Amino acid sequence: MTRITVAKGDGIGPEIMDATLRILLAAGAKIEVDEIEVGEKVYLSGNTSGIEKSSWDVIRNNKVFLKAPITTPQGGGYKSLNVTTRKFLGLYSNIRPCVSLHPYVKTKHPQMDIVIIRENEEDLYAGIEHQQTDEVVQCLKLISRPGCEKIVRYAFEYARMYGRKKVTCFTKDNIMKQTDGLFHRVFNEIAKEYPEIQNEHWIIDIGAAKVADTPEQFDVIVMPNLYGDILSDVAAQITGSVGLAGSANVGDQCAMFEAIHGSAPDIAGKGIANPSGLLQGAVMMLIHIGQTEVAEKIHNAWLKTIEDGIHTSDIYKENVSKQKVGTMEFADAVIANLGKTPEKLKGVQYLKDSIIRLPKYQRKAPAKKSLVGVDIFVHWSGTNPDELAEKAKMMETQNLKLSMITNRGIKVWPEGFEETFCTDHWRCRFKSDENSSISGNDIIQLLTNAISHKIDTIKTENLYAFDGIAAFSLGQGQ
Ligand code: NAD
C-alpha cells in the first residue's frame, strides 16, 4: 500500500479527480489517499502561495502527489503553485507523452508518438526579474551543468527503459552560446554514453516547425524549460486535444503527477470534462510507485474505451464516435473495460520495474577562474554613443579600459551604425589588456569613478575566463 497525496484543485479538478480515483481503485491500485486543499480558495484566503504549510508536510511525507489543475487568480501577486512545487521539491524532470489515437480522435498526425522531456527547474523560470531603467526590464536565464546533466541523462535513461530509438535535443545555441550552448554540449557528452540510441540536435525554431509538421520523425525530445513548456502543449494539442495528455514531474525524492491542461472554468461543474489527462498522469504515478500491472491494465482499458468510440464532448465526432458521455460515464466505461486490451490501437506493456534511477550528480573539479574585465550597465537618456563613450572613459582605471558599448546587446561603440535604435539601457565593457587578470578592487575603483562623474550604474557583471577561455558573449557585431 502506498500513501499518496491528492489535491482536487479547482474548476473541473474535483470532477476529473473523482473519476480518476474511481478508476484507480476499481483497477486494484494499492493506494491510500491523504487529501489536501490547494489553489483558488487558499489563494483567496490571503495566502499568495496557494498552499498551507501543513499541506507541504503531507506532500513531503508521502513523496508522491497527484494533483488536479488549479486556478491561479489573475493579478494580486499570486505565485504559480505548479512552479513553486516543482522547484521546492526538486522535480527537475517533466515528462509528457503525446500519442495520436487515430482514427478514433481526429488529428492531422496519425503516426505521432513522442515524449517531451522538459527541464523543470531553471531557465527563465528562475523568475529573477528586475526593472533597471525607465525603458528596460530584464529576466535572468539561468542554466546549470547539474540541471543539464540530470535532464539529458533522464531523457536517455527514459529512452532506454521504454525501448525508444532516438533522443532529439532542441536549443537556440546559435544565439545563446553560453546558456543553450551548455545544454547542447552536455547533450553531446551524455549521448556518447548511450551508443545504442540515436541522437540529434535541432535549433528550436526549425525543430518546433518540424514537430508541428511531421511529428512522426521524432521519438523522445529533450529541451530547456521554456521551450519545453510551449512545445509540449503544441505536441499534446496536435494529437487531438490537450485534454488527453498527462504529465509527470519527477525529482530524486518526490514526484508530482497531473494533467497538462488547466482548470477549464468554462465547463466546470457540468460533468462533461475529459478525465483522460489526469488519468494518464495517474498511470505514470502507478508506474513510479512500482504498480506497473495496474498501470498497464488501466492504460489498456482506457485505449479500448477510446477505440470503442465512447468519448467525452471535447473529442466527440459524428461518424467516428459512438457515444457521447460525461466524466463519470467515461470513467465507468473504462472500469468496464479493465482487463481488456485494444484491438486496433497499440496496447501498452510496462516492465515490472520501470523506475528511472539516475546516478548522483558528481561535481567536477573547479576550473581556473580569472577575472578579466567587467560589464557596467548604465542608465543614460542620451542618444549619441560617442558622448557616452567620453563619459565612460572617465571611469577607466589603470587596468580597466573601455572596449565596447552595446545597447540591447548590439555594439554601438566604437563604429556603431546610426540606424541602430537605442534605449536608455547601455552596457559599457571594460577589459584588462590581453585578458590579464584584474582584482575586485579595480572594479570598485571603476564604480567609485562612476559615482564621482554622476554616471548612473545599474548593474555590474564580471567577465571571467575559465581555464584561460573567455566565458562571456561578444557584443553583436563585435
Ligand atoms: P485550460 O486548459 O483550463 O482550458 C483551455 C480549453 O481547453 C478550454 O476551452 C477548456 O474547456 C478545454 N479543456 C481543458 N481541459 C479539458 C478537459 N479535461 N476536458 C475537456 N475540455 C478541456 O486553460 P486556460 O483556460 O488557459 O486556463 C484556465 C485556468 O487553469 C487558469 O487559471 C490557469 O492558470 C489554470 N491552469 C492550471 C494548470 C495546472 O494546474 N497545471 C495548467 C494550465 C492552466
Side-chain angles (χ1 to χ4, degrees):
M1 201 58 87
T2 304
R3 275 199 106 78
I4 65 163
T5 308
V6 161
K8 291 193 173 174
D10 303 313
I12 58 170
E15 302 159 49
I16 59 174
M17 183 60 86
D18 287 344
T20 298
L21 290 176
R22 184 140 132 196
I23 297 168
L24 260 57
L25 294 175
K30 295 190 186 63
I31 52 169
E32 265 173 339
V33 168
D34 285 325
E35 195 181 328
I36 57 164
E37 175 93 62
V38 298
E40 204 170 19
K41 255 198 227 144
V42 185
Y43 282 120
L44 296 178
S45 73
N47 183 330
T48 50
S49 67
I51 179 169
E52 301 288 352
K53 268 203 172 66
S54 55
S55 299
W56 278 123
D57 296 340
V58 180
I59 293 172
R60 293 171 76 189
N61 207 22
N62 291 340
K63 302 198 183 313
V64 178
F65 183 20
L66 181 62
K67 189 185 74 60
I70 57 171
T71 304
T72 311
Q74 297 286 306
Y78 301 109
K79 287 298 218 183
S80 157
L81 179 60
N82 292 322
V83 176
T84 310
T85 308
R86 288 167 189 160
K87 294 213 279 201
F88 259 152
L89 300 179
L91 310 181
Y92 63 87
S93 183
N94 186 317
I95 304 112
R96 293 184 170 187
C98 301
V99 189
S100 291
L101 300 164
H102 175 78
Y104 306 102
V105 176
K106 189 168 177 266
T107 167
K108 292 178 189 138
H109 305 288
Q111 302 298 327
M112 182 171 171
D113 180 5
I114 66 182
V115 180
I116 294 192
I117 298 196
R118 156 191 172 195
E119 198 290 319
N120 222 8
E121 292 180 287
E122 45 191 49
D123 193 354
L124 290 159
Y125 288 58
I128 307 175
E129 295 193 297
H130 303 93
Q131 176 163 3
Q132 297 183 314
T133 67
D134 291 317
E135 293 176 344
V136 174
V137 287
Q138 76 162 12
C139 176
L140 283 187
K141 170 158 168 148
L142 296 179
I143 299 280
S144 73
R145 177 166 271 276
C148 297
E149 281 194 15
K150 286 199 299 186
I151 195 67
V152 170
R153 201 176 288 287
Y154 193 96
F156 278 98
E157 286 293 326
Y158 184 97
R160 186 176 267 173
M161 174 81 71
Y162 289 91
R164 299 268 176 169
K165 304 268 176 305
K166 183 167 78 172
V167 179
T168 305
C169 174
F170 285 173
T171 70
K172 186 81 182 170
D173 67 334
N174 54 331
I175 304 294
M176 285 160 278
K177 297 191 169 69
Q178 294 290 333
T179 48
D180 284 23
L182 176 62
F183 197 96
H184 188 178
R185 264 199 325 279
V186 169
F187 177 79
N188 289 345
E189 282 169 24
I190 290 181
K192 291 200 187 95
E193 297 174 28
Y194 299 84
E196 78 281 16
I197 298 166
Q198 292 170 48
N199 69 83
E200 64 177 6
H201 171 269
W202 289 102
I203 298 292
I204 177 80
D205 31 7
I206 186 61
K210 279 172 176 286
V211 166
D213 186 46
T214 47
E216 63 280 3
Q217 286 182 8
F218 296 95
D219 197 339
V220 174
I221 316 179
V222 64
M223 59 193 114
N225 203 341
L226 176 64
Y227 310 144
D229 190 2
I230 297 166
L231 216 56
S232 58
D233 268 29
V234 172
Q237 183 70 30
I238 64 176
T239 63
S241 165
V242 279
L244 294 171
S247 158
N249 301 269
V250 180
D252 291 333
Q253 298 182 44
C254 300
M256 173 172 78
F257 301 87
E258 56 187 342
I260 77 159
H261 58 76
S263 55
D266 51 338
I267 55 166
K270 296 186 178 157
I272 58 169
N274 189 346
S276 297
L278 188 59
L279 186 65
Q280 290 309 312
V283 164
M284 290 193 266
M285 176 189 78
L286 290 171
I287 296 169
H288 179 83
I289 60 176
Q291 299 188 25
T292 43
E293 275 173 37
V294 189
E296 195 174 297
K297 192 154 104 179
I298 294 174
H299 200 153
N300 282 326
W302 174 75
L303 287 168
K304 177 85 171 75
T305 309
I306 298 284
E307 190 180 271
D308 286 346
I310 300 173
H311 294 167
T312 43
S313 55
D314 56 318
I315 56 169
Y316 181 87
K317 202 155 181 300
E318 284 301 331
N319 306 325
V320 177
S321 310
K322 299 239 163 62
Q323 196 186 340
K324 193 190 275 185
V325 291
T327 312
M328 273 305 166
E329 288 167 278
F330 182 81
D332 288 338
V334 174
I335 291 168
N337 278 333
L338 288 168
K340 296 183 192 157
T341 47
E343 282 149 33
K344 303 248 170 49
L345 289 170
K346 198 166 141 230
V348 296
Q349 250 184 326
Y350 293 121
L351 295 174
K352 233 183 170 48
D353 178 5
S354 302
I355 300 172
I356 294 170
R357 296 178 187 85
L358 296 191
K360 217 172 159 43
Y361 171 73
Q362 300 286 336
R363 183 169 281 172
K364 293 192 172 31
K368 185 172 175 301
K369 176 180 172 192
S370 48
L371 186 60
V372 296
V374 65
D375 280 345
I376 305 277
F377 290 79
V378 171
H379 182 175
W380 184 62
S381 310
T383 52
N384 181 353
D386 291 340
E387 237 177 79
L388 179 60
E390 285 313 306
K391 278 168 88 69
K393 279 184 183 170
M394 295 194 275
M395 295 164 66
E396 288 183 345
T397 67
Q398 200 180 348
N399 294 327
L400 283 171
K401 304 292 178 211
L402 182 69
S403 69
M404 173 186 77
I405 299 177
T406 67
N407 195 294
R408 290 183 300 167
I410 180 88
K411 187 188 68 155
V412 292
W413 182 93
E415 292 162 17
F417 285 12
E418 65 175 88
E419 293 89 336
T420 304
F421 180 83
C422 290
T423 67
D424 59 358
H425 183 274
W426 308 79
R427 173 177 60 160
C428 302
R429 174 161 289 178
F430 295 87
K431 295 269 308 286
S432 60
D433 284 341
E434 291 171 13
N435 278 349
S436 58
S437 192
I438 56 154
S439 80
N441 283 329
D442 289 300
I443 296 175
I444 291 172
Q445 184 59 55
L446 199 81
L447 289 170
T448 309
N449 295 347
I451 292 169
S452 39
H453 290 102
K454 299 200 164 37
I455 298 171
D456 183 2
T457 60
I458 46 180
K459 167 178 157 136
T460 67
E461 196 73 57
N462 292 355
L463 305 179
Y464 292 109
F466 283 83
D467 285 339
I469 299 168
F472 44 87
S473 56
L474 298 177
Q476 281 155 2
Q478 193 182 11

